[in-house]
Amino acid sequence: MSRALIVWGGWDGHEPDKVAAIFRSLLEEAGVTVTMATSLDVFDDAETLLTYDLIVPVWTMGTLSREAATNVTEAVARGTGLAGCHGGMCDAFRDSPLWQFMTGANWVAHPGGDGVQYRVQITTDDPLVAGISDFDVLSEQYYLHVDPANRVLATTRTDVVTWYHSPNGPVDMPVVWTRAWGLGRVYYNALGHKADVIADGPAHEMLRRGLLWALDSKAAAIGQDLSALQAPGNHW
């Protein structure tokens, strides 16, 4: 049976307990054994992290040691999946470039704050979004510094709020993407400022698919050789 670790906490404004409960429900409905943790200490145990098929961070504005960040990234590199949403994953640890490199972005702003109306546009027929139509969201519109290597599945146009960035012109900001980290699968969805944004509807369905896709990461990595991706020296 597949095993997932959900680690929740950090800034209460993102309702990490409620978001974590949504993730837990989605995974348990798929027959996954879920372990819930409310302390970042679980990231100190490198060997145990390797036993999970999926890690789900739900932790905004935390501080992660270099060793703990390395433990998570090494587990993912060896095939453990990583999946999450909003600030719980891409505003989790602002002082960890390694974490940001693994996840594919870091949050820098949400012009207009909460309650901004914007459209999420599906940009591919990938199975993770196939059959889901463009939809509107009333929430924060995340502005992220994004790795161009990400495989973007959905975007949003950033011209709905005028602010200091506006003279640069509107851009199609990625909302949902996948990427690889070593042999591991990484999935991110920028929606989820409050739990109700992802509790149902298309955002909920996208997250369900993303979690299960990342969950299959370890099985997909069987027979692959990580050594081909490794080189001596410090890379970060």
Side-chain angles (χ1 to χ4, degrees):
M1 181 176 288
S2 298
R3 300 177 66 235
L5 171 67
I6 298 176
V7 186
W8 67 268
W11 185 57
D12 288 338
H14 277 160
E15 302 179 338
D17 54 339
K18 296 179 181 178
V19 172
I22 291 172
F23 287 152
R24 179 175 189 169
S25 177
L26 286 169
L27 290 168
E28 289 185 338
E29 286 173 3
V32 180
T33 298
V34 178
T35 298
M36 303 289 279
T38 58
S39 170
L40 296 176
D41 291 347
V42 294
F43 290 157
D44 293 332
D45 188 342
E47 292 302 316
T48 299
L49 290 177
L50 292 170
T51 68
Y52 290 105
D53 298 282
L54 177 67
I55 297 171
V56 183
V58 190
W59 199 294
T60 305
M61 293 187 290
T63 299
L64 197 63
S65 71
R66 182 186 180 103
E67 292 74 21
T70 299
N71 291 342
V72 179
T73 58
E74 288 296 320
V76 176
R78 284 159 175 74
T80 297
L82 182 76
C85 75
H86 201 64
M89 182 160 146
C90 280
D91 190 23
F93 310 112
R94 296 179 181 178
D95 59 350
S96 178
L98 179 60
W99 182 272
Q100 294 159 16
F101 199 2
M102 175 181 64
T103 59
N106 61 290
W107 171 88
V108 292
H110 41 65
D114 197 8
V116 173
Q117 180 95 29
Y118 62 94
R119 171 147 288 214
V120 174
Q121 297 177 302
I122 307 300
T123 58
T124 176
D125 61 357
D126 186 283
L128 292 178
V129 291
I132 298 176
S133 300
D134 297 349
F135 60 97
D136 292 325
V137 176
L138 186 67
S139 184
E140 288 183 343
Q141 185 185 42
Y142 257 19
Y143 204 105
L144 301 129
H145 286 174
V146 181
D147 189 334
N150 293 342
R151 292 178 286 274
V152 177
L153 307 180
T155 64
T156 183
R157 197 72 169 168
T158 62
D159 57 357
V160 295
V161 173
T162 300
W163 197 47
Y164 295 147
H165 69 298
S166 298
N168 298 304
V171 297
D172 292 319
M173 180 61 58
V175 175
V176 183
W177 63 77
T178 63
R179 59 188 280 108
W181 184 260
L183 303 181
R185 295 179 175 185
V186 178
Y187 173 88
Y188 176 73
N189 190 316
L191 303 177
H193 175 61
K194 298 290 186 182
D196 62 354
V197 177
I198 59 171
D200 53 28
H204 185 80
E205 174 60 18
M206 284 196 296
L207 279 167
R208 184 190 69 81
R209 297 183 193 181
L211 287 167
L212 298 183
W213 173 82
L215 181 75
D216 287 338
S217 180
K218 189 167 284 186
I222 293 174
Q224 297 188 54
D225 184 8
L226 182 63
S227 64
L229 301 175
Q230 295 172 314
N234 192 344
H235 302 283
W236 59 286

